[in-house]
Amino acid sequence: MNCRKVSRWLSAYIEGDLQPLQKRRMDEHLQNCAACREKLSDISMITQMSGELEKLEPGPFFANRVLCEVAAQKQKRWLLQGWRLKLALSAASFVVAAIVTFMNMSPSLMSPTMIADKQSGNGNAASADFVPISGKLARAGFPVSDDILKRDMALVESLKSDSQALDSLVLPKGYIQQVDQSH
Amino acid sequence: MEKLDDKQLFAKIAADDEQAFGIFIDRFKNRLFNFIARIIQDKETAEDILQETFLRVYNQRKNYSPDYAVSTWVFTIALNLVRSELRKRKLRKYMSLDFLKEESDVEIADPQNPEPGKLKPILEKAIKSLPDEYRTAFVLCDIERLPYEEIAEIMRVPVGTVKSRINRARSMLREKLLPYKELNYELSKGLPLVIGLY
Ligand SMILES: [Zn+2]
C-alpha cells in the first residue's frame, strides 16, 4: 500500500469504516511511515476541533419572527381569498345585469307598459291605451259579456295609476302579438 | 409536547397546530443556523435563509413524507436555499468581474508569530475557504455530526461521493493549517501530536 492510497483511506480509518483486511494493511503502513502517521494525527485533530467550534445561533427573537410571518402570510391569503370572492360576486352581478337588460330589450318578454311605451313613443306607461284581453277578444268578434269587459277596464284603469303594478303583469312570450294578429 | 419525537411533533404541525410549530422551530433553529451560517458566512443572510426554511417547512407541512427523517427533509430544504444563494452570489461576482481578482487564500495570523490558543479561529477561516460542496459535506459531517447516509440524502449524491468529499476537505484543511502547527504544539504543552492524542 502506498502513501496516496493511505491518504484516501484516512477518514475511513479514523471512523472505523474499513474492512478488516483494509484496516490491517493501513496499520502496517502507518507503523512504517512517519509522514502518514503525522497526517492521520493532524486530521484527527482537525475533526476533533471542528466539533468543538462555537455553535452559531440566530437572534433571540427568531422563533417569534417566524411565527409572526406565518400569521402575516395567513392573513394575506385570507385577504386574497376575500378579494377573489368579491371579484367573483361582482362578475356574477354583472352577468345578472346583462341578462336583465337583454330580457328588457326583447319584445316578447316586455311588460305591457313597456310595449305601450314603445308603441306610443312617449315613455309614459299610465298614458298608454292599454286594452285588456277581454276587450281585444270582443273587438275580434268574440262574444264577451259586458260585465267582464267593465271589470277588466276598471282593473286596467286602477293599474294605470300604479305603473309598477302594471309592469309586474308580464305576459307569456308572444301572447300580445298573437292577440294583436288575431284582429 | 416537547417530549414528542420529530415525526410525532410534525404530525401535529401538519394538523395546523401552531404551538407545535413553535416547539419545532426551537428544536431545529440552532442546528440549522450553525449549518447555514458556516456555509453562507454572513449571519444576516443566514438568518433570512433560516426563516425562509421554516416558512417553506410550514407551507409544505402537508407534503412531508414520513419515509424520510424530519431532520433530513428540513436540512434538504435549507441546503436548497443555501445553494440558490451561492449561485446568486457567483452570478453577481461574475457580472461585476470580481472573478478576475485572485481568490484570496485564508489570510490568517502570521505563521511565524502565532498567538497561542488561536488555532480555532484559523480553522474557522480555513473552513470558509473550502470549495462550496466540500465545505457543505465537511460542515454536515464534522460540525453537525450527521451520519454519511443522511448527508448523502441531504446533498443528493451517493454515499461514496460524500465520503470522498469529506476526506478531501479534511486534507485541504490540513494543508491550510500546516504552517500553524507549532501553535498546536504549544496548545498541547510542547508535546508532538501522536495518534489518539485527541
Ligand atoms: Zn505513507
Side-chain angles (χ1 to χ4, degrees):
Chain A
M1 185 179 261
N2 60 29
C3 295
R4 260 185 76 174
K5 199 159 194 179
V6 169
S7 194
R8 279 212 303 273
W9 287 3
L10 278 179
S11 285
Y13 183 82
I14 292 169
E15 276 141 27
D17 200 20
L18 288 178
Q19 300 295 318
L21 180 66
Q22 289 173 318
K23 192 189 173 291
R24 214 173 322 135
R25 286 167 68 190
M26 281 284 284
D27 284 334
E28 279 165 19
H29 182 96
L30 288 168
Q31 261 175 357
N32 302 312
C33 180
C36 285
R37 268 206 310 273
E38 199 181 339
K39 200 170 181 186
L40 176 70
S41 165
D42 289 350
I43 285 179
S44 303
M45 182 264 296
I46 286 168
T47 307
Q48 164 88 22
M49 211 160 58
S50 299
E52 293 165 356
L53 289 178
E54 182 208 352
K55 302 283 179 237
L56 307 174
E57 288 179 12
F61 305 110
F62 177 78
N64 277 348
R65 254 180 55 197
V66 176
L67 291 172
C68 283
E69 187 58 32
V70 166
Q73 281 194 358
K74 260 187 194 166
Q75 197 174 9
K76 227 185 276 175
R77 260 197 299 275
W78 184 79
L79 283 173
L80 193 71
Q81 273 170 2
W83 183 77
R84 281 196 189 125
L85 185 70
K86 263 188 195 167
L87 195 74
L89 280 176
S90 55
S93 59
F94 174 79
V95 169
V96 168
I99 290 170
V100 166
T101 310
F102 170 78
M103 282 169 69
N104 283 346
M105 289 305 115
S106 170
S108 61
L109 294 167
M110 281 181 184
S111 65
T113 52
M114 288 173 74
I115 290 169
D117 285 351
K118 262 197 161 176
Q119 286 167 351
S120 65
N122 68 8
N124 185 346
S127 69
D129 180 22
F130 180 75
V131 181
I133 295 164
S134 53
K136 292 192 178 196
L137 290 172
R139 281 189 204 167
F142 287 96
V144 180
S145 79
D146 283 352
D147 285 353
I148 290 172
L149 276 174
K150 270 185 199 155
R151 190 204 62 192
D152 283 1
M153 285 314 289
L155 183 67
V156 166
E157 286 308 313
S158 73
L159 285 171
K160 268 183 186 174
S161 59
D162 182 1
S163 61
Q164 255 187 328
L166 197 59
D167 263 336
S168 68
L169 294 173
V170 180
L171 296 174
K173 191 180 176 183
Y175 188 86
I176 289 180
Q177 281 90 332
Q178 279 169 23
V179 176
D180 279 344
Q181 280 156 13
S182 67
H183 63 269
Chain B
M1 203 170 330
E2 280 86 352
K3 283 176 187 157
L4 296 177
D5 69 29
D6 292 349
K7 284 189 182 179
Q8 290 168 329
L9 185 64
F10 206 80
K12 290 202 171 284
I13 297 168
D16 298 331
D17 184 334
E18 275 184 29
Q19 198 201 342
F21 188 54
I23 292 166
F24 181 84
I25 294 173
D26 282 335
R27 191 175 287 187
F28 279 96
K29 68 177 197 266
N30 291 353
R31 283 174 69 195
L32 282 170
F33 185 77
N34 196 37
F35 162 64
I36 297 167
R38 294 215 173 267
I39 309 288
I40 288 292
Q41 300 166 26
D42 156 23
K43 282 193 170 186
E44 210 173 302
T45 312
E47 203 162 312
D48 289 345
I49 291 177
L50 183 64
Q51 173 166 329
E52 185 58 28
T53 302
F54 281 117
L55 291 177
R56 287 198 183 188
V57 165
Y58 189 78
N59 290 334
Q60 293 172 27
R61 63 195 181 281
K62 315 268 183 193
N63 302 337
Y64 164 69
S65 154
D67 296 345
Y68 294 94
V70 176
S71 63
T72 307
W73 184 58
V74 176
F75 269 96
T76 306
I77 292 176
L79 180 60
N80 284 343
L81 291 166
V82 162
R83 279 178 171 159
S84 119
E85 171 64 22
L86 293 174
R87 270 197 299 273
K88 259 189 263 170
R89 283 184 183 181
K90 271 195 188 123
L91 188 69
R92 271 203 297 271
K93 195 176 165 187
Y94 185 77
M95 300 295 273
S96 64
L97 301 179
D98 278 355
F99 69 98
L100 294 173
K101 291 181 196 158
E102 262 306 296
E103 197 63 53
S104 69
D105 208 357
V106 211
E107 30 91 24
I108 324 178
D110 178 7
Q112 303 304 315
N113 192 16
E115 284 176 70
K118 289 284 179 186
L119 198 60
K120 276 183 183 169
I122 296 168
L123 173 63
E124 297 219 13
K125 285 195 177 177
I127 293 169
K128 284 180 185 178
S129 72
L130 290 174
D132 295 342
E133 292 301 298
Y134 290 90
R135 189 165 71 250
T136 303
F138 179 81
V139 169
L140 288 172
C141 180
D142 284 353
I143 297 183
E144 293 293 332
R145 302 287 190 201
L146 295 180
Y148 286 142
E149 289 71 22
E150 195 171 344
I151 298 171
E153 277 187 54
I154 292 167
M155 295 187 72
R156 294 178 200 272
V157 290
V159 176
T161 308
V162 169
K163 287 181 180 176
S164 72
R165 277 184 191 168
I166 289 165
N167 193 54
R168 184 80 194 95
R170 287 169 178 168
S171 292
M172 282 191 262
L173 288 175
R174 178 185 180 251
E175 279 158 35
K176 286 173 195 288
L177 292 184
L178 267 182
Y180 307 94
K181 254 188 110 174
E182 288 305 313
L183 196 58
N184 207 52
Y185 290 149
E186 194 164 329
L187 283 174
S188 54
K189 300 202 171 79
L191 291 168
L193 286 165
V194 289
I195 301 171
L197 179 67
Y198 288 91

